Amino acid sequence: MALKTEEMILNMGPQHPSTHGVLRLELVLDGEVVHDVKPHIGYLHRCMEKHSEAMTYSQVVPYTDRMDYLASMYNNFGYVGAVEKLMDIKVPERVEYIRVIMGELQRIASHLVALGTFGLDLGAFTPFLYLFRDREKILDLFEITCGARLLYNYMWVGGLSHDIHPDFVRKTKEFINYFRPTVVELNNLLTFNKIFIERTANIGVCPAKEAINLGLSGPNLRGSGVKFDLRKNDTYSIYDRFDFEIPVGEGLVGTVGDCWDRYYVRVQEVEQSLRIIEQAIDQIPDGDVSKEIPRRVKPPVGTVYHRVEAPKGELGYFIVSDGSVNPARVKVRAPSFVSLSAIGQMAKGYLVADVVAILGSLDIVLGEIDR
Amino acid sequence: MSAEEIYNLLKENFGNAILEIVSNVPTEPIISVEPLQINVISQFLRDSNELQFDNLMNLSGVDDNNATKTTNEDGSVSSQGGTLSVFYHLDSFSLKHKITLKTSTNRDVPEVESVTNIWYSANWHEREAFDMFGINFLNHPDLRRILMPYDWEGFPLRKDYENPEFYEGMKIPY
């Protein structure tokens, strides 16, 4: 007599240590093999897009802070870039340089959280503590700049809220000198750790063609071997002036496009960000950072789609202006939103424990998904 | 390829389904198309050798806010007619060109073809547009609410949306 098997539905979350926020995954299982994953989101929905329609353009900036709360600077960067494109504002050179430096520091901080929590999901507790210790130093740099450690409201349409602190350049250089060797430390601790590789290599493999169709972006797309970075391929701000590499997944310990590749792309990107900061920090020109801030932000009638390479991927702002002081529509194309929608396709055929690894490797933030 | 060339190429292949190109805008030009032809047009945009739009950057619902509003006797405002639009921002990895498509649909019976079978990433964007604007994406594999609770009534991002007084019997205090 043949044994009858049937599919089982298992809920993961909403409160689960590895779901990076409040997320419920409905797993359809056959034994321990995943047949389908249906994410249920919306637990953190704060109606940011609806709120924006009642705000002036400048008042939307603090709302963007609260989307991807691990990379607030970059959310600001994208939003003000979109409004400036619509209004055709040319910001001063000094502002551009400071924005790039802040953006890259933020990328490092965001990647440190991503790498740390990824290890944490898989049971490696120690690297997480090391990485958070280093992230703290970046937050200190932000604190001397604008007073805030997490939600900055630092980049304004046409300029910045504050100029940098007199100590900022010196402290940033100190940070770079301190931080470079710790990447080696991370590699010894976690990256090439045998247990870690066993858990992540050949898991959640996503070939390049599929990754494009799923809409993956940023490190997730590059992990699949697609050499595409908006900073180089669709350049914005002043990124075309700096010399840096685009790391891609090469399948060093497994297959191209597995969890380990996505992880290792982030490690390499941290080093590239350091290179950009090093080049930019010595070139900051003098100037007034609030000179070009318009008294009244009132863009012409029209639409704009502006995308930037946020730490988690392609962050796009679609703004519809009806010519008034309030935006008629702000739609945010959040990188995590699209990455999470792909998990059903990526986790198919793997085991329950691998879902945790795949989710961690996608580096999602629920604040950005639910907005 | 420039937006004008893409427009001409589409016009050649689809004729009346391609409505117009608006290029006197501050940023990128927009090509308007018929909502019930968007699927075949998208298939062509992705698979044609000259275009190869393999990446859907963004899909966004918009309320055009062009309904005629009438004030009733009791002071409440009711709106009639008007359109809802969907914007598609496409990008090609290999050919490095971009295009914006727009399709407008009737506000009372908003129906647009789904493009999820062409770009998988459209899946959640379309669910969001359905959730916020009530746009019905035909042939979508799994059209449910995504951000709002499954039993929510109304479509919050429509311009005539009014905040409900109660949710599941609880008074909302504002």
Side-chain angles (χ1 to χ4, degrees):
Chain A
M1 195 183 86
L3 282 174
K4 202 177 118 211
T5 60
E6 54 185 47
E7 287 187 333
M8 183 176 82
I9 310 264
L10 184 74
N11 262 319
M12 198 168 124
Q15 272 81 34
H16 187 280
S18 81
T19 54
H20 299 258
V22 221
L23 161 71
R24 180 159 70 94
L25 294 178
E26 188 184 320
L27 307 179
V28 181
L29 304 174
D30 177 13
E32 214 185 331
V33 180
V34 177
H35 275 190
D36 198 8
V37 183
K38 290 183 192 148
H40 294 261
I41 59 173
Y43 294 93
L44 273 177
H45 183 48
R46 292 149 298 173
C47 324
M48 176 263 173
E49 290 174 3
K50 180 81 178 168
H51 274 301
S52 309
E53 293 174 13
M55 299 288 152
T56 64
Y57 283 88
S58 318
Q59 284 171 334
V60 176
V61 177
Y63 282 95
T64 65
D65 272 335
R66 283 151 182 80
M67 292 191 314
D68 180 358
Y69 43 78
L70 296 173
S72 298
M73 282 288 185
Y74 234 97
N75 292 331
N76 292 175
F77 202 168
Y79 176 75
V80 297
V83 180
E84 281 158 9
K85 201 168 171 185
L86 192 57
M87 292 180 73
D88 205 13
I89 297 176
K90 182 98 184 69
V91 298
E93 287 277 290
R94 185 177 176 81
V95 174
E96 295 278 27
Y97 273 92
I98 296 175
R99 280 184 184 175
V100 165
I101 292 168
M102 293 299 169
E104 293 309 309
L105 283 171
Q106 184 72 84
R107 186 186 311 279
I108 297 173
S110 171
H111 280 354
L112 291 182
V113 178
L115 303 173
T117 52
F118 185 35
L120 194 64
D121 289 346
L122 302 176
F125 197 83
T126 318
F128 170 76
L129 298 173
Y130 279 58
L131 295 173
F132 261 60
R133 177 197 64 192
D134 300 338
R135 173 173 175 264
E136 205 67 9
K137 299 201 189 315
I138 299 178
L139 299 189
D140 289 343
L141 290 174
F142 290 149
E143 195 179 4
I144 61 165
T145 309
C146 62
R149 292 171 63 79
L150 201 61
L151 307 166
Y152 313 104
N153 186 14
Y154 181 59
M155 296 177 195
W156 288 358
V157 177
L160 303 167
S161 70
H162 302 77
D163 205 341
I164 49 174
H165 190 271
D167 282 347
F168 181 81
V169 173
R170 180 179 59 81
K171 288 199 167 175
T172 306
K173 283 181 177 166
E174 274 173 24
F175 167 74
I176 295 171
N177 288 335
Y178 157 81
F179 183 66
R180 242 210 191 109
T182 64
V183 180
V184 181
E185 195 181 59
L186 170 71
N187 284 340
N188 292 336
L189 253 179
L190 186 63
T191 312
F192 296 105
N193 181 318
K194 178 114 179 24
I195 304 168
F196 181 70
I197 291 176
E198 292 283 320
R199 286 293 306 273
T200 54
N202 296 320
I203 300 294
V205 179
C206 190
K209 214 172 154 82
E210 199 188 330
I212 291 173
N213 191 252
L214 290 174
L216 296 186
S217 54
N220 297 332
L221 180 65
R222 291 191 283 276
S224 294
V226 183
K227 202 168 185 140
F228 183 80
D229 188 318
L230 292 175
R231 289 174 293 173
K232 272 223 159 86
N233 296 63
D234 187 8
T235 189
Y236 54 93
S237 191
I238 50 164
Y239 276 108
D240 48 352
R241 298 184 197 172
F242 304 113
D243 176 33
F244 61 99
E245 306 284 320
I246 306 174
V248 291
E250 289 163 344
L252 211 57
V253 298
T255 321
V256 176
D258 58 9
C259 289
W260 192 87
D261 269 355
R262 285 191 284 276
Y263 164 89
Y264 195 52
V265 162
R266 291 195 176 90
V267 177
Q268 290 169 298
E269 268 183 26
V270 165
E271 287 174 336
Q272 298 304 323
S273 291
L274 287 177
R275 275 180 69 187
I276 297 177
I277 299 168
E278 261 180 343
Q279 293 167 48
I281 197 94
D282 285 326
Q283 298 177 26
I284 304 179
D286 290 330
D288 181 0
V289 296
S290 52
K291 194 176 71 194
E292 290 293 327
I293 296 178
R295 264 164 186 271
R296 196 143 171 261
V297 183
K298 203 176 168 190
V301 179
T303 62
V304 64
Y305 180 74
H306 181 67
R307 52 180 188 162
V308 294
E309 183 74 32
K312 302 201 167 46
E314 175 182 331
L315 173 68
Y317 285 89
F318 176 60
I319 300 175
V320 180
S321 160
D322 56 3
S324 71
V325 292
N326 313 108
R329 170 94 170 102
V330 178
K331 153 91 184 177
V332 186
R333 186 260 193 226
S336 305
F337 183 78
V338 184
S339 302
L340 182 64
S341 74
I343 195 167
Q345 305 285 319
M346 290 174 72
K348 215 166 269 179
Y350 292 97
L351 304 180
V352 177
D354 297 336
V355 173
V356 176
I358 294 167
L359 189 67
S361 74
L362 286 175
D363 183 24
I364 55 159
V365 157
L366 265 296
E368 178 178 69
I369 292 170
D370 294 342
R371 279 159 279 149
Chain B
M1 263 184 148
S2 75
E4 296 283 342
E5 288 166 343
I6 295 170
Y7 173 70
N8 290 333
L9 188 66
L10 287 177
K11 197 81 190 166
E12 243 171 62
N13 283 279
F14 295 100
N16 290 339
I18 313 296
L19 300 172
E20 54 169 350
I21 178 166
V22 184
S23 27
N24 57 340
V25 283
T27 52
E28 65 264 31
I30 299 170
I31 297 177
S32 294
V33 302
E34 280 283 345
L36 297 182
Q37 301 283 323
I38 186 76
N39 196 283
V40 281
I41 295 169
S42 301
Q43 190 85 49
F44 177 75
L45 285 168
R46 190 192 69 179
D47 294 339
S48 149
N49 274 333
E50 296 152 90
L51 299 172
Q52 296 185 26
F53 283 109
D54 44 11
N55 179 20
L56 176 75
M57 294 188 282
N58 185 26
L59 185 157
S60 168
V62 172
D63 187 340
D64 295 321
N65 201 14
N66 52 4
T68 42
K69 286 178 184 129
T70 44
T71 314
N72 300 332
E73 282 171 15
D74 57 346
S76 65
V77 180
S78 58
S79 48
Q80 270 199 325
T83 53
L84 298 171
S85 293
V86 182
F87 283 77
Y88 302 81
H89 294 86
L90 305 175
D91 169 47
S92 166
F93 275 109
S94 38
L95 300 177
K96 302 191 190 328
H97 54 195
K98 293 190 264 188
I99 190 67
T100 309
L101 294 187
K102 175 191 177 180
T103 178
S104 295
T105 174
N106 183 336
R107 198 189 168 85
D108 302 317
V109 194
E111 283 184 343
V112 178
E113 276 185 345
S114 166
V115 293
T116 303
N117 61 333
I118 296 159
W119 299 289
Y120 185 83
S121 53
N123 187 335
W124 278 23
H125 286 305
E126 286 180 351
R127 277 179 68 189
E128 193 187 326
F130 165 73
D131 191 2
M132 295 298 165
F133 296 95
I135 299 169
N136 188 14
F137 288 91
L138 304 173
N139 303 327
H140 188 283
D142 183 24
L143 198 64
R144 312 176 264 136
R145 284 192 181 272
I146 184 163
L147 294 176
M148 303 299 286
Y150 295 121
D151 60 350
W152 195 262
E153 284 171 17
F155 303 107
L157 279 182
R158 285 196 183 189
K159 293 287 181 188
D160 58 353
Y161 179 76
E162 282 171 22
N163 293 331
E165 237 179 294
F166 290 92
Y167 174 62
E168 291 190 341
M170 294 174 285
K171 182 139 175 68
I172 302 171
Y174 46 74

